[in-house]
Amino acid sequence: MSGTAQLKLSSHKEAMYLLLCMSVFWFLPLALMLVDDTPLECVPRRYVPYHSNNARLFHEEGVSNYSVMLLREDLQLLLVGAREALYALDLDDVSKMRASVKWEVTEKQNDDCQNKGRDPETECKNYIKILHLMKDNRMYVCGTNAFDPECDYMSYSNGKLTLEKAAEDGKGKCPFNPLQRYASIMVDDNLYSATSMNFLGSELALRRSSPPIRTEIKTSWLNEPNFVSLAQMPESDEGDDDKVYLFFSETAVEYDCYKKPVVVSRVARVCKGDMGGRRTLQRKWTSFLKAGLECPVLGSQLPNIIQNTYRWCDPEKHWEDCLFYTIFTPQSDTSDLSAVCVYSLSDINRVFAEGQFKTLVPLETSFIWVAYSGEVPDPRPGSCQTQSLDLPDQTLHFIKDRPLMDDIIHPIGEKPVLERRGAAFTCIVVNQVQAADGHKYRVMFIGMEDGTLLKAVNYDGEMFIIEQVQLFQSPESVKVLRFSDVTGQLYAGSDYGAVQVPVATCGRSSSCMDCVLARDPYCGWDTDAGSCVALSSTQRQLIQSVKEGDASLCPPADSVEVGNRSFLPGGSVKLLCPSPSNLGTTTWEQDGQRVNSSVRHQLLQDGLLILNASDSDSGRYRCLSVEHSKSHKYTATLAEYQLSLKGEPRLPQAQKESTSTVGLHIVIGLLVVSLVALLAWNFYNGHLPPPWSCSKMLRGKSYDSNGQEDPGPL
Ligand SMILES: *[C@@H]1O[C@H](CO)[C@@H](O)[C@H](O)[C@H]1NC(C)=O
């Protein structure tokens, strides 16, 4: 049970506060907890450890923080903004750099920044933060510029990247502090940015460049916000739908019932056509409304915090059906459960269009936020139908004091589509693919704090993680993730570099069963070619079964090649059998008899280790993999070995005494005595160096006698 329920309610006022809070976050999550059975350990079927072949990498020596990306499919380029540099990389192979341009801070700028108490080696550099395309094909770029943000125009022509050195003021567009969260979007050559407007980073606002307009500096509007992302929706025929959405988290003003401040996740909305009010709210948004976003995660005590969003719109549907795939991480470090919740744009818009507002009312000696039950002015605040300069004062005053909705936006299905413990999720991209069954599936690609990428699909409510691939050698956060429809590739950036990976690497499956059980909608088994290939690469009929993982469709598997292994009595042997799946279990058979785990037989992740081998260990070994998929259970032979005793008996390790070895020991004893005598004679005659190199010789020998580990053929 939650901690609050055990609190003694000492006064009426406290009881009311608690009720207010509980009604908001506790009841629904608690109720959901009882029925929720999402497997939290969601194991990726395949884990792909780091390998330089996993991804194509771009990294320039001495340059770090590859944290902004712009796809220029028209130029077949990926533009990347890093620390003091911008790159144009080949979109088909990011390891190939086409052009680059430096944007470094001057010595004077660095000194000024240092004089203001900032670190000259880290903070007083120019971190590129904003990179957008303009209608005239130039790009708009902003950098932190030694805590003095600046913007510029950049173009690519004749294979060169050029900055115009326009030196536009970047205050309110780009953060001063390279570590502060921000968001920006270019809409019709107009920059919308959510960032700090001052050096201290204390004045935070959502701002449009022209005509310049921003949020009020008021805690009821934005209270210590962390900006996450901005998204826009196209203008509709009715003319009232052209809006920009801001996702962020902030300290809640409405739940001051806790001793500690509570951070909540929000979505806010403004109208693109907003010009500010005539007298009230001059040059401020008159359409700014915000609402809480809830992503109820199993057992979490405090609301989860939004970290990243991806707007996914079905090209065949109306934009009102667009979805926001959103990443949440826990507020307290006692939990490590990340989640993905999906919100529909229509649910968000419904709350703004029909929901109740929150208002501040006095309660005894202080104030509390409650649902506003009075009359809402007409035109309704936040509807974009009236020219903002013509809005009546009544509407303006209303929105100025009450930008927060009482209703909370719930995710589709009222719960996360994916929850997982471990490394925190950092970013997400979603791609829809048509599988062989004719259905379309949305595949989530999730970048994580440990430098890996998860690939997951929700099949009718069942979350399936196809794989987890380590993109970067060192475990560092994936900072940015992009997908190109044109190349079908994903692009990821981290502090270390920029990488590119295909959405599918079907070749990782080498058997039909593995290919089908992988349930990857991008891949299928080509029986003629005998390989797992991308659906998009062939017209041929492929075997695929994403919903069921029905591997009975596969032709009988070819028998595996038998590896011959031999061992010496008392030695150890390892028979390799790496499993292609984390969801399968491997078992071993010796001449048809199951091998059980024992001191001498160790069943390892990647094989069988036989210690102190003896005659009885010879025989035919088979490694079997058993994998469950929905209703079926599949068994496959992964490896087969013929193990036999090596012809020549060798010296056993002198550990166990047995009658049969006593004779041998006598022989060894005699040999040793003669060896010592021989050595002594040699020393005496000066034929050998001093004795320590001898010990080296002996160690080499003892290694020899049990060094029979066999790497095997796999
Ligand atoms: C830049 O990268 C370094 C590691 O190379 C990291 O320590 C630092 O926090 C990064 N800075 C920003 C602003 O991302």
Side-chain angles (χ1 to χ4, degrees):
M1 265 316 285
S2 82
T4 42
Q6 293 154 10
L7 287 180
K8 294 249 159 52
L9 308 177
S10 53
S11 77
H12 202 73
K13 181 176 166 185
E14 234 173 84
M16 176 145 181
Y17 267 22
L18 272 177
L19 266 178
L20 259 170
C21 304
M22 291 178 78
S23 64
V24 186
F25 330 117
W26 308 71
F27 267 40
L28 186 80
L30 277 177
L32 280 171
M33 265 164 71
L34 303 174
V35 293
D36 207 330
D37 58 335
T38 325
L40 294 180
E41 309 303 336
C42 255
V43 179
R45 182 174 181 273
R46 193 197 319 264
Y47 181 79
V48 185
Y50 177 79
H51 189 284
S52 55
N53 287 346
N54 287 359
R56 290 180 196 265
L57 169 73
F58 174 78
H59 161 78
E60 191 170 52
E61 203 50 48
V63 178
S64 58
N65 311 90
Y66 300 77
S67 51
V68 237
M69 286 183 172
L70 173 67
L71 292 167
R72 287 295 307 264
E73 285 145 344
D74 55 329
L75 301 172
Q76 283 178 11
L77 293 176
L78 174 74
L79 274 292
V80 179
R83 192 174 100 159
E84 314 235 291
L86 288 136
Y87 300 96
L89 309 177
D90 188 323
L91 196 60
D92 292 316
D93 180 356
V94 297
S95 65
K96 296 189 182 129
M97 184 177 83
R98 294 287 176 234
S100 70
V101 63
K102 290 267 173 218
W103 184 359
E104 291 165 316
V105 295
T106 63
E107 216 165 293
K108 178 169 185 310
Q109 285 168 326
N110 193 286
D111 288 348
D112 288 351
C113 172
Q114 198 178 346
N115 290 340
K116 290 178 200 158
R118 297 296 174 175
D119 185 78
E121 290 307 313
T122 58
E123 295 174 304
C124 299
K125 299 282 180 186
N126 189 23
Y127 294 82
I128 306 302
K129 294 286 177 181
I130 287 179
L131 181 53
H132 295 300
L133 181 60
M134 316 257 307
K135 282 181 176 163
D136 63 5
N137 275 338
R138 287 184 304 164
M139 288 160 275
Y140 194 65
V141 193
C142 305
T144 58
N145 199 40
F147 257 85
D148 184 16
E150 205 174 276
C151 299
D152 201 353
Y153 298 87
M154 181 173 74
S155 26
Y156 177 82
S157 64
N158 304 325
K160 276 183 71 180
L161 274 181
T162 329
L163 286 164
E164 291 179 12
K165 307 212 160 61
E168 260 185 29
D169 187 2
K171 284 184 192 60
K173 297 177 181 174
C174 173
F176 289 66
N177 183 339
L179 291 171
Q180 196 169 37
R181 304 257 342 222
Y182 70 102
S184 77
I185 191 174
M186 188 68 87
V187 181
D188 303 328
D189 281 358
N190 207 344
L191 184 77
Y192 288 71
S193 51
T195 188
S196 69
M197 300 190 302
N198 63 345
F199 182 86
L200 292 176
S202 53
E203 281 177 18
L204 293 142
L206 167 64
R207 189 175 168 280
R208 185 187 61 206
S209 288
S210 76
I213 212 167
R214 61 171 174 84
T215 41
E216 281 269 45
I217 307 287
K218 258 181 111 173
T219 56
S220 60
W221 282 49
L222 292 169
N223 190 21
E224 296 167 23
N226 260 310
F227 298 117
V228 169
S229 64
L230 279 159
Q232 63 134 342
M233 285 299 156
E235 203 159 338
S236 84
D237 306 334
E238 295 95 65
D240 63 337
D241 300 307
D242 41 343
K243 298 184 180 80
V244 171
Y245 297 79
L246 169 67
F247 292 86
F248 64 106
S249 61
E250 64 173 347
T251 304
V253 286
E254 69 272 30
Y255 312 128
D256 56 355
C257 34
Y258 296 105
K259 296 283 180 293
K260 279 209 295 192
V262 176
V263 177
V264 288
S265 303
R266 308 262 201 227
V267 57
R269 196 184 78 172
V270 291
C271 303
K272 287 183 211 163
D274 197 337
M275 308 296 273
R278 199 170 290 280
R279 273 189 308 276
T280 311
L281 290 179
Q282 247 181 43
R283 285 192 286 278
K284 304 283 154 51
W285 297 107
T286 65
S287 53
F288 181 85
L289 290 182
K290 60 178 182 178
L293 276 179
E294 191 198 51
C295 183
V297 166
L298 193 78
S300 67
Q301 303 275 308
L302 291 166
N304 291 290
I305 311 218
I306 186 167
Q307 300 295 349
N308 189 241
T309 63
Y310 184 78
R311 189 190 81 166
W312 187 81
C313 302
D314 190 335
E316 283 158 26
K317 287 191 182 161
H318 189 256
W319 60 259
E320 273 269 332
D321 295 309
C322 285
L323 303 174
F324 289 100
Y325 280 76
T326 309
I327 280 173
F328 288 84
T329 58
Q331 177 149 183
S332 82
D333 28 290
T334 56
S335 168
D336 63 348
L337 196 57
S338 297
V340 179
C341 275
V342 187
Y343 302 91
S344 82
L345 182 66
S346 49
D347 285 347
I348 295 173
N349 281 337
R350 190 172 324 109
V351 165
F352 289 130
E354 297 163 17
Q356 277 193 300
F357 293 86
K358 264 199 191 303
T359 192
L360 204 55
V361 296
L363 181 81
E364 295 182 5
T365 55
S366 63
F367 290 87
I368 58 164
W369 287 90
V370 297
Y372 175 80
S373 52
E375 204 171 310
V376 175
D378 183 40
R380 184 181 161 97
S383 66
C384 301
Q385 269 141 338
T386 316
Q387 174 33 274
S388 68
L389 289 166
D390 300 335
L391 283 173
D393 259 7
Q394 205 192 3
T395 302
L396 295 174
H397 278 295
F398 189 93
I399 210 160
K400 190 176 172 189
D401 297 332
R402 299 174 191 89
L404 178 62
M405 306 306 298
D406 186 54
D407 296 46
I408 285 185
I409 296 157
H410 300 285
I412 292 174
E414 300 283 345
K415 64 173 187 182
V417 289
L418 173 62
E419 288 174 67
R420 189 157 184 259
R421 290 196 193 287
F425 295 174
T426 54
C427 45
I428 184 166
V429 152
V430 177
N431 177 233
Q432 182 169 273
V433 56
Q434 183 159 10
D437 62 10
H439 287 115
K440 289 173 177 160
Y441 298 95
R442 294 198 285 275
V443 185
M444 300 191 286
F445 295 92
I446 300 169
M448 314 216 291
E449 209 178 41
D450 61 356
T452 63
L453 184 72
L454 280 188
K455 176 180 183 181
V457 195
N458 197 319
Y459 291 120
D460 297 333
E462 175 211 6
M463 183 47 71
F464 188 75
I465 302 183
I466 298 166
E467 62 183 12
Q468 179 174 13
V469 181
Q470 191 168 349
L471 298 180
F472 296 98
Q473 189 156 23
S474 57
E476 50 184 73
S477 209
V478 179
K479 293 272 171 78
V480 55
L481 196 56
R482 294 276 180 270
F483 170 73
S484 164
D485 254 327
V486 174
T487 62
Q489 305 271 314
L490 294 158
Y491 303 88
S494 76
D495 284 340
Y496 180 73
V499 295
Q500 165 196 1
V501 282
V503 284
T505 314
C506 306
R508 286 196 185 114
S509 296
S510 54
S511 69
C512 178
M513 192 174 110
D514 188 41
C515 181
V516 174
L517 291 178
R519 298 171 70 186
D520 188 327
Y522 296 99
C523 303
W525 184 258
D526 183 335
T527 318
D528 294 344
S531 56
C532 190
V533 298
L535 257 66
S536 58
S537 69
T538 175
Q539 295 296 318
R540 281 211 283 256
Q541 190 79 21
L542 300 179
I543 301 172
Q544 189 193 59
S545 167
V546 289
K547 272 195 186 171
E548 304 293 328
D550 183 1
S552 65
L553 303 164
C554 283
D558 294 341
S559 53
V560 297
E561 213 175 294
V562 181
N564 282 311
R565 293 287 171 279
S566 57
F567 65 94
L568 293 161
S572 60
V573 196
K574 185 171 176 188
L575 302 175
L576 279 180
C577 178
S579 169
S581 167
N582 292 325
L583 305 180
T585 47
T586 47
T587 57
W588 284 86
E589 280 180 357
Q590 181 190 2
D591 300 321
Q593 297 287 314
R594 173 86 177 255
V595 177
N596 292 314
S597 173
S598 68
V599 182
R600 287 206 320 110
H601 293 115
Q602 301 193 2
L603 303 171
L604 308 176
Q605 191 76 37
D606 63 341
L608 172 68
L609 180 63
I610 305 173
L611 297 170
N612 196 10
S614 68
D615 207 12
S616 65
D617 290 317
S618 338
R620 177 66 70 101
Y621 285 79
R622 282 214 299 165
C623 170
L624 301 166
S625 144
V626 181
E627 187 165 352
H628 290 262
S629 178
K630 283 245 157 142
S631 50
H632 305 276
K633 187 171 115 179
Y634 299 99
T635 307
T637 304
L638 296 178
E640 206 162 342
Y641 295 96
Q642 183 66 43
L643 190 61
S644 51
L645 186 67
K646 215 171 227 171
E648 298 277 326
R650 265 233 239 157
L651 307 185
Q653 286 170 308
Q655 276 167 349
K656 290 210 175 108
E657 294 277 353
S658 72
T659 41
S660 67
T661 58
V662 169
L664 204 59
H665 280 209
I666 293 168
V667 174
I668 296 167
L670 286 173
L671 276 172
V672 170
V673 169
S674 42
L675 183 73
V676 169
L678 197 68
L679 281 171
W681 188 81
N682 268 290
F683 280 127
Y684 184 73
N685 288 286
H687 293 159
L688 273 180
W692 52 81
S693 54
C694 180
S695 73
K696 208 171 173 183
M697 232 163 70
L698 288 175
R699 239 187 294 146
K701 232 192 174 96
S702 83
Y703 170 76
D704 229 30
S705 68
N706 58 16
Q708 294 151 23
E709 256 205 19
D710 204 317
L714 294 172

